[in-house]
Amino acid sequence: MIFGNKGKLSHRYVVPYKILKRVGKVSYELELPPELAVVYPVFHILLLKKCVGDLASVAPLGSVAVKDSVCYEDVPVVIPYHQVRMLRNKEVASVKVLQRSHSVEGATWEAKVAMKSKYPCLFPSNSTPA
């Protein structure tokens, strides 16, 4: 099971856990210790690795820290493009948003009104209203 920060020298897997049951075609439920009670115990097979008994490659559980508020929020960094589309009888303004953890190819189109209300710092004060 993969946990923690990804880095060149960081541990990729933590101690082995017992598989309780197969939940779907590619997911398994693990028996997790009480310290990891906030983690949902069902994992995709790609996140698991067969334990062959080499304890030197396994990180001790003490080095794994799981916060109670496990959530991830992507923060927009810049708006490189603006566009206005005509839909029958109304105009819809949208912006292309580049998120902090995505590449340029991963930028998404969002409604300009929603982005301007949530992140006004991304829009200069002299821009045209949406």
Side-chain angles (χ1 to χ4, degrees), residues 6 15 28 30 36 40 42-43 46 52-53 57 107-108 115 127:
K6 290 186 179 180
V15 295
Y28 291 89
L30 301 181
L36 295 176
Y40 187 66
V42 177
F43 294 90
L46 292 177
V52 291
S57 65
T108 58
M115 291 302 295
S127 67

mmCIF file of all heavy atoms in Angstrom, residues 6 15 28 30 36 40 42-43 46 52-53 57 107-108 115 127:
data_model
loop_
_atom_site.group_PDB
_atom_site.id
_atom_site.type_symbol
_atom_site.label_atom_id
_atom_site.label_comp_id
_atom_site.label_asym_id
_atom_site.label_seq_id
_atom_site.Cartn_x
_atom_site.Cartn_y
_atom_site.Cartn_z
ATOM 1 N N LYS A 6 5.720 11.582 -2.132
ATOM 2 C CA LYS A 6 6.434 10.937 -3.216
ATOM 3 C C LYS A 6 7.739 11.684 -3.423
ATOM 4 O O LYS A 6 7.765 12.894 -3.515
ATOM 5 C CB LYS A 6 5.602 10.960 -4.490
ATOM 6 C CG LYS A 6 4.411 10.056 -4.428
ATOM 7 C CD LYS A 6 3.717 10.014 -5.751
ATOM 8 C CE LYS A 6 2.542 9.070 -5.679
ATOM 9 N NZ LYS A 6 1.829 8.994 -6.934
ATOM 10 N N VAL A 15 4.192 -1.081 6.112
ATOM 11 C CA VAL A 15 4.164 -2.477 6.563
ATOM 12 C C VAL A 15 3.063 -3.274 5.875
ATOM 13 O O VAL A 15 2.053 -2.724 5.471
ATOM 14 C CB VAL A 15 3.976 -2.551 8.099
ATOM 15 C CG1 VAL A 15 5.151 -1.959 8.809
ATOM 16 C CG2 VAL A 15 2.709 -1.860 8.525
ATOM 17 N N TYR A 28 -9.627 -4.544 -3.083
ATOM 18 C CA TYR A 28 -9.521 -5.430 -1.924
ATOM 19 C C TYR A 28 -9.677 -4.623 -0.641
ATOM 20 O O TYR A 28 -9.256 -3.479 -0.569
ATOM 21 C CB TYR A 28 -8.158 -6.130 -1.909
ATOM 22 C CG TYR A 28 -8.001 -7.134 -3.029
ATOM 23 C CD1 TYR A 28 -7.501 -6.753 -4.265
ATOM 24 C CD2 TYR A 28 -8.350 -8.458 -2.837
ATOM 25 C CE1 TYR A 28 -7.363 -7.666 -5.285
ATOM 26 C CE2 TYR A 28 -8.211 -9.384 -3.847
ATOM 27 C CZ TYR A 28 -7.721 -8.989 -5.071
ATOM 28 O OH TYR A 28 -7.594 -9.894 -6.075
ATOM 29 N N LEU A 30 -8.528 -4.223 3.208
ATOM 30 C CA LEU A 30 -7.383 -4.578 4.035
ATOM 31 C C LEU A 30 -7.724 -4.442 5.512
ATOM 32 O O LEU A 30 -8.596 -3.663 5.898
ATOM 33 C CB LEU A 30 -6.202 -3.666 3.718
ATOM 34 C CG LEU A 30 -5.689 -3.662 2.285
ATOM 35 C CD1 LEU A 30 -4.508 -2.732 2.167
ATOM 36 C CD2 LEU A 30 -5.327 -5.043 1.819
ATOM 37 N N LEU A 36 -4.796 3.944 11.655
ATOM 38 C CA LEU A 36 -5.231 4.334 10.313
ATOM 39 C C LEU A 36 -6.750 4.206 10.166
ATOM 40 O O LEU A 36 -7.249 3.920 9.083
ATOM 41 C CB LEU A 36 -4.532 3.472 9.261
ATOM 42 C CG LEU A 36 -3.024 3.636 9.177
ATOM 43 C CD1 LEU A 36 -2.430 2.678 8.168
ATOM 44 C CD2 LEU A 36 -2.656 5.060 8.823
ATOM 45 N N TYR A 40 -10.068 4.876 4.439
ATOM 46 C CA TYR A 40 -11.021 3.888 3.941
ATOM 47 C C TYR A 40 -10.253 2.610 3.598
ATOM 48 O O TYR A 40 -9.255 2.655 2.878
ATOM 49 C CB TYR A 40 -11.742 4.443 2.714
ATOM 50 C CG TYR A 40 -12.864 3.583 2.218
ATOM 51 C CD1 TYR A 40 -14.000 3.381 2.992
ATOM 52 C CD2 TYR A 40 -12.807 2.968 0.977
ATOM 53 C CE1 TYR A 40 -15.047 2.602 2.540
ATOM 54 C CE2 TYR A 40 -13.843 2.182 0.520
ATOM 55 C CZ TYR A 40 -14.960 1.998 1.307
ATOM 56 O OH TYR A 40 -15.994 1.221 0.856
ATOM 57 N N VAL A 42 -10.605 0.031 1.621
ATOM 58 C CA VAL A 42 -10.688 -0.633 0.318
ATOM 59 C C VAL A 42 -9.728 0.058 -0.642
ATOM 60 O O VAL A 42 -9.768 1.277 -0.808
ATOM 61 C CB VAL A 42 -12.133 -0.597 -0.224
ATOM 62 C CG1 VAL A 42 -12.205 -1.228 -1.602
ATOM 63 C CG2 VAL A 42 -13.059 -1.318 0.736
ATOM 64 N N PHE A 43 -8.858 -0.743 -1.292
ATOM 65 C CA PHE A 43 -7.830 -0.206 -2.179
ATOM 66 C C PHE A 43 -7.853 -0.915 -3.520
ATOM 67 O O PHE A 43 -8.145 -2.112 -3.603
ATOM 68 C CB PHE A 43 -6.435 -0.370 -1.557
ATOM 69 C CG PHE A 43 -6.245 0.440 -0.315
ATOM 70 C CD1 PHE A 43 -6.545 -0.083 0.930
ATOM 71 C CD2 PHE A 43 -5.773 1.733 -0.401
ATOM 72 C CE1 PHE A 43 -6.381 0.671 2.075
ATOM 73 C CE2 PHE A 43 -5.593 2.491 0.739
ATOM 74 C CZ PHE A 43 -5.898 1.960 1.976
ATOM 75 N N LEU A 46 -3.805 -1.783 -8.008
ATOM 76 C CA LEU A 46 -2.582 -1.102 -8.435
ATOM 77 C C LEU A 46 -1.866 -0.406 -7.276
ATOM 78 O O LEU A 46 -0.688 -0.095 -7.371
ATOM 79 C CB LEU A 46 -2.904 -0.083 -9.531
ATOM 80 C CG LEU A 46 -3.355 -0.679 -10.856
ATOM 81 C CD1 LEU A 46 -3.706 0.416 -11.838
ATOM 82 C CD2 LEU A 46 -2.300 -1.594 -11.430
ATOM 83 N N VAL A 52 6.851 -10.140 -0.270
ATOM 84 C CA VAL A 52 7.625 -11.365 -0.437
ATOM 85 C C VAL A 52 8.509 -11.642 0.766
ATOM 86 O O VAL A 52 9.331 -12.541 0.726
ATOM 87 C CB VAL A 52 8.475 -11.318 -1.728
ATOM 88 C CG1 VAL A 52 7.594 -11.379 -2.948
ATOM 89 C CG2 VAL A 52 9.344 -10.086 -1.758
ATOM 90 N N GLY A 53 8.375 -10.881 1.836
ATOM 91 C CA GLY A 53 9.098 -11.162 3.064
ATOM 92 C C GLY A 53 10.370 -10.376 3.275
ATOM 93 O O GLY A 53 11.054 -10.593 4.255
ATOM 94 N N SER A 57 12.755 -3.514 2.822
ATOM 95 C CA SER A 57 12.125 -2.577 1.902
ATOM 96 C C SER A 57 10.804 -2.028 2.427
ATOM 97 O O SER A 57 10.130 -1.282 1.739
ATOM 98 C CB SER A 57 11.876 -3.264 0.555
ATOM 99 O OG SER A 57 10.941 -4.310 0.728
ATOM 100 N N ALA A 107 -5.017 21.981 -18.046
ATOM 101 C CA ALA A 107 -5.864 23.137 -17.747
ATOM 102 C C ALA A 107 -7.290 22.856 -18.195
ATOM 103 O O ALA A 107 -7.531 22.184 -19.193
ATOM 104 C CB ALA A 107 -5.316 24.378 -18.447
ATOM 105 N N THR A 108 -8.260 23.376 -17.437
ATOM 106 C CA THR A 108 -9.673 23.119 -17.721
ATOM 107 C C THR A 108 -10.415 24.429 -17.953
ATOM 108 O O THR A 108 -10.033 25.482 -17.451
ATOM 109 C CB THR A 108 -10.340 22.384 -16.553
ATOM 110 O OG1 THR A 108 -10.203 23.170 -15.377
ATOM 111 C CG2 THR A 108 -9.718 21.017 -16.340
ATOM 112 N N MET A 115 -15.591 31.388 -11.258
ATOM 113 C CA MET A 115 -14.181 31.571 -10.905
ATOM 114 C C MET A 115 -13.928 32.962 -10.335
ATOM 115 O O MET A 115 -13.133 33.129 -9.417
ATOM 116 C CB MET A 115 -13.290 31.342 -12.128
ATOM 117 C CG MET A 115 -13.242 29.899 -12.588
ATOM 118 S SD MET A 115 -12.678 28.758 -11.320
ATOM 119 C CE MET A 115 -11.017 29.283 -11.088
ATOM 120 N N SER A 127 -10.568 44.453 -15.640
ATOM 121 C CA SER A 127 -11.124 43.524 -16.628
ATOM 122 C C SER A 127 -12.596 43.829 -16.833
ATOM 123 O O SER A 127 -13.267 44.431 -16.015
ATOM 124 C CB SER A 127 -10.939 42.085 -16.180
ATOM 125 O OG SER A 127 -11.719 41.843 -15.031
#
